Every structure is written in structure tokens, then in C-alpha cells.
């Protein structure tokens, strides 16, 4: 018996809750006046939203433009630094090659039979000695 009564009370409470909420699902009272306009505040919100979207697009465009500018600047800086490093490496290699050539010319002129592979010369006694 108690279960039937509890179930009935629960159903009545749910029905009462629905009856309380029903009036709020319709139009607001301010919209039902003489000057009823279904979009009574939409124009203002649309302009505000459109302005916000336009400003956001402009900000995004400016950020993208700035990002591209930064990327170009970074690319130029990296290119200049890379060219300087490559030029330094080439200059160092050229200097080393020139020094090696000068050393070989010196040893060839001084000892006559200079071997570049071993950086040595063969003396009259038949032994090889390092070029100094």
C-alpha cells in the first residue's frame, strides 16, 4: 500500500513541477506588449557581433602579417649568418690549402725529393726525414 502511495506522490510532484515550469517556456512578458517584435534585440546584437567579428578578423590579419614579417626577417638573418659561416669555412679551407702548398714548395726547393703524402724527404743516406 505504501509503495502505491509513494509512487502516486512522486507522480503528483513531477506533474506539479511541470506545471510550474510550463509558463516559462513561452515568450517573455515584455515581448507580448503592443510593440512586439520577434527580433526585439537582435539588430543591436547583430551589429555588436558583426563588429566584434570584423575586429577579430582584422586582428587576425594583423597577427598573420606580423608573423610573416617576422618570418621574413628571421629568414634574412639566418641567410646572412649562414653565408658568413660558409664564407668563413671556405676562407679557412683556402688558407689551409695555401699553407700546405707553400710548405710543399718550400720542402721541394730545399730538399729536392719531397713526398707530399708522408710530408718527408729522402736524404742522400737513403733514409726519410720529416720536412721541417
Amino acid at each position: 500500500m505504501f509503495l502505491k502511495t509513494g509512487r502516486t506522490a512522486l507522480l503528483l510532484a513531477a506533474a506539479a513541477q511541470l506545471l510550474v515550469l510550463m509558463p516559462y517556456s513561452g515568450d517573455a512578458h515584455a515581448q507580448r506588449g503592443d510593440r512586439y517584435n520577434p527580433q526585439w534585440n537582435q539588430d543591436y546584437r547583430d551589429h555588436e557581433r558583426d563588429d566584434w567579428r570584423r575586429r577579430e578578423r582584422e586582428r587576425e590579419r594583423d597577427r598573420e602579417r606580423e608573423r610573416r614579417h617576422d618570418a621574413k626577417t628571421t629568414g634574412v638573418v639566418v641567410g646572412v649568418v649562414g653565408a658568413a659561416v660558409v664564407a668563413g669555412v671556405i676562407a679557412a679551407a683556402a688558407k689551409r690549402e695555401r699553407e700546405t702548398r707553400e710548405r710543399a714548395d718550400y720542402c721541394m726547393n730545399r730538399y729536392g725529393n719531397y713526398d707530399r703524402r708522408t710530408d718527408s724527404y729522402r736524404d742522400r743516406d737513403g733514409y726519410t726525414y720529416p720536412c721541417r
Side-chain angles (χ1 to χ4, degrees), residues 23 26-41:
D27 293 335
H29 293 287
Q31 292 176 342
R32 280 189 261 172
D34 294 332
R35 295 173 289 159
Y36 173 68
N37 181 1
Q39 298 171 346
W40 65 282
N41 200 16

Side-chain angles (χ1 to χ4, degrees), residues 53-63:
R53 285 181 180 163
R54 182 182 47 76
R55 284 191 309 268
E56 189 61 30
R57 281 193 307 268
E58 288 173 0
R59 277 190 224 111
E60 186 63 33
R61 237 180 281 133
D62 291 343
R63 280 191 292 257

